Amino acid sequence: MSRLKRITVVGASLAGLRAVQTLRREGFDGEITLVGAETHLPYNRPPLSKSVLRGDDDVALPGAEELGDQWLRGRRAVRLDVRERTVGLDDGTEIGHDGLVIATGARPRRLDGAHRLRTIDDALALRARLDSGHEHVLVIGGGFIGGEVASTARQLGRKVTLVDAAPYPMRAGLGEDAARWLAAHHERNGVELVTNARVTAVSGGRVHLADGRSIAADLVVGGMGVTPNTEWLDGSGLTTDDGVLCLPTLFARGAGDIVAAGDVARWPHGLFGGETVRVEHWSNANEQGAIAARNLLAGPENATPFLDVPNHATHVHGARIQTAGLPHLADAASIVTGSPEDDRFAVAFTRDGVLVGAVAVNSPKDVVRLKRAITARETL
Ligand SMILES: Cc1cc2nc3c(=O)[nH]c(=O)nc-3n(C[C@H](O)[C@H](O)[C@H](O)COP(=O)(O)OP(=O)(O)OC[C@H]3O[C@@H](n4cnc5c(N)ncnc54)[C@H](O)[C@@H]3O)c2cc1C
């Protein structure tokens, strides 16, 4: 029998849904209240920058349709009282709990005049603009989402310009070799790259850069990173700093009855020397939703640390780019198979000689092998 009777899950997307499913699967038969700001059934976000823009609306997340009246949709949590164990909603309701899962994810940084892409509504609005014949698409930020939007817009026959602040898009996440290759790959596929450039404003059909230049565009899409949704926790006593600060077990620091999961959680990762990380990948939200729920039921003293190695995959102009671990922590990197000239290679990243990350381009077997080696903390 669980010591918990009422559990509230805030955030009805991937991590929140997995938490609810896991609570039931683990035999929790108390009351669950799921609070979600969106009105749609929980859905998959990865297709939003890919197939949805090309006209395919399938974003279903298995199991979402089974959520019953335990789900309060279109309702936003605005306050947490840790001592009273209540969550306050935007309609004034207070919901009591004796266990809480925080799964409020993240939202894109805003820039007036630029489309954002986080929700299905954002994707459908962007698709409508693409379909209405906007010829020149300018994407700000060459990260995973910006790169995918650029790739999809090229597939749709649009002229595309990609503006990025770094010398090569994704240099921080992919390292020098793969980022140089990606820049060339974008250009070979007809994307005009404008790098080392910071956008200051979008106005009058032009994108203005910090160096005084401006570029005309019919449609501007922003992919400038995200901010974790933690404002509703201000004043609660929980520590937030680019996410909810957690223990290795995903319990919020200083709270034995609150866990966090997914894009909103920051925790010290045991495989990477306790470095605190926040991971914005599908598989992380999927696994953390489940582990956080299991740990909440087990209690802090019986909880297990979350040690999964982050991994991510994207398709850009037909190439498959995969990452594992945390390449940005590395102090050295080397190509271990293939070569960028052949559009097929893998890079291993080490810190003090120990593998901490991998990037593979059109080389899926290598990323599986390297991910295993990262988990085993192998040296190169
Ligand atoms: C366009 C796009 C493409 C992507 N592609 C990939 C990919 O190819 N591969 C990959 O690994 N990852 C990808 N991702 C990232 C992946 O989708 C996220 O890591 C994942 O959705 C995180 O899930 P989450 O449940 O933690 O948070 P979210 O999905 O952000 O969900 C949080 C939910 O909480 C709600 N919420 C926020 N605040 C409150 C509040 N105060 N009260 C109530 N509800 C609240 C939000 O409305 C939202 O529904 C992509 C993301 C986007 C946007």
Side-chain angles (χ1 to χ4, degrees):
M1 271 288 279
S2 170
R3 66 206 155 81
L4 306 175
K5 302 282 175 249
R6 292 180 304 173
I7 296 178
T8 298
V9 179
V10 183
S13 181
L14 179 58
L17 175 66
R18 290 294 178 253
V20 171
Q21 290 173 321
T22 305
L23 291 170
R24 288 301 183 220
R25 203 167 301 134
E26 295 284 311
F28 176 73
D29 59 1
E31 198 182 309
I32 300 176
T33 307
L34 174 64
V35 182
E38 292 185 71
T39 52
H40 304 284
L41 275 177
Y43 55 90
N44 250 332
R45 297 191 199 278
L48 300 182
S49 46
K50 310 169 185 83
S51 47
V52 171
L53 296 183
R54 293 192 299 268
D56 177 351
D57 286 347
D58 184 5
V59 290
L61 258 182
E65 67 292 343
E66 287 155 24
L67 289 172
D69 53 10
Q70 60 191 346
W71 174 31
L72 302 179
R73 56 165 112 184
R75 302 269 279 280
R76 185 172 285 280
V78 292
R79 181 172 52 256
L80 168 66
D81 189 322
V82 169
R83 188 138 10 114
E84 294 295 319
R85 294 182 165 164
T86 56
V87 170
L89 305 188
D90 52 2
D91 63 355
T93 316
E94 297 279 329
I95 306 171
H97 61 259
D98 37 32
L100 175 67
V101 181
I102 298 171
T104 44
R107 62 180 183 280
R109 296 201 183 100
R110 295 191 78 102
L111 179 66
D112 284 345
H115 265 271
R116 37 191 248 157
L117 184 51
R118 184 75 191 180
T119 67
I120 182 74
D121 298 322
D122 295 336
L124 294 177
L126 181 55
R127 183 167 93 192
R129 296 281 312 269
L130 283 166
D131 287 350
S132 66
H134 287 83
E135 255 323 299
H136 182 192
V137 180
L138 187 145
V139 181
I140 306 171
F144 279 120
I145 291 174
E148 287 170 359
V149 171
S151 166
T152 307
R154 284 298 299 144
Q155 269 179 297
L156 295 171
R158 301 291 177 269
K159 172 175 156 56
V160 176
T161 302
L162 182 59
V163 179
D164 197 275
Y168 306 105
M170 298 205 59
R171 191 166 73 153
L174 297 182
E176 189 77 15
D177 293 306
R180 273 177 192 267
W181 170 85
L182 177 62
H185 185 61
H186 272 306
E187 286 178 332
R188 277 195 303 269
N189 285 278
V191 174
E192 186 199 356
L193 283 184
V194 179
T195 53
N196 291 313
R198 206 167 53 77
V199 172
T200 52
V202 179
S203 65
R206 298 193 78 84
V207 173
H208 301 276
L209 306 182
D211 61 11
R213 283 180 291 169
S214 74
I215 306 168
D218 302 317
L219 174 59
V220 181
V221 185
M224 301 154 301
V226 297
T227 307
N229 293 316
T230 57
E231 290 76 3
W232 68 282
L233 300 168
D234 289 351
S236 68
L238 292 190
T239 315
T240 59
D241 179 11
D242 186 34
V244 177
L245 290 190
C246 297
L247 301 175
T249 52
L250 304 177
F251 273 95
R253 279 197 205 166
D257 51 4
I258 302 175
V259 290
D263 282 15
V264 77
R266 173 174 286 282
W267 82 108
H269 201 305
L271 278 180
F272 302 100
E275 185 94 27
T276 64
V277 294
R278 193 173 63 73
V279 174
E280 297 162 9
H281 300 339
W282 190 96
S283 57
N284 182 69
N286 192 48
E287 301 305 322
Q288 280 194 342
I291 297 291
R294 209 171 294 145
N295 280 346
L296 182 64
L297 292 178
E301 43 311 311
N302 298 313
T304 51
F306 184 78
L307 293 171
D308 282 20
V309 171
N311 65 94
H312 181 275
T314 183
H315 276 96
V316 177
H317 313 293
R320 186 166 172 74
I321 306 168
Q322 292 168 281
T323 67
L326 300 170
H328 71 275
L329 296 183
D331 55 29
S334 54
I335 295 176
V336 287
T337 49
S339 102
E341 288 73 40
D342 299 333
D343 294 333
R344 180 188 292 274
F345 62 102
V347 188
F349 295 81
T350 55
R351 183 163 71 174
D352 300 328
V354 178
L355 268 172
V356 291
V359 170
V361 173
N362 294 323
S363 209
K365 282 190 186 147
D366 284 311
V367 88
V368 172
R369 179 173 62 81
L370 287 165
K371 188 178 169 208
R372 241 184 257 131
I374 295 167
T375 310
R377 296 187 51 75
E378 284 180 19
T379 50
L380 194 62

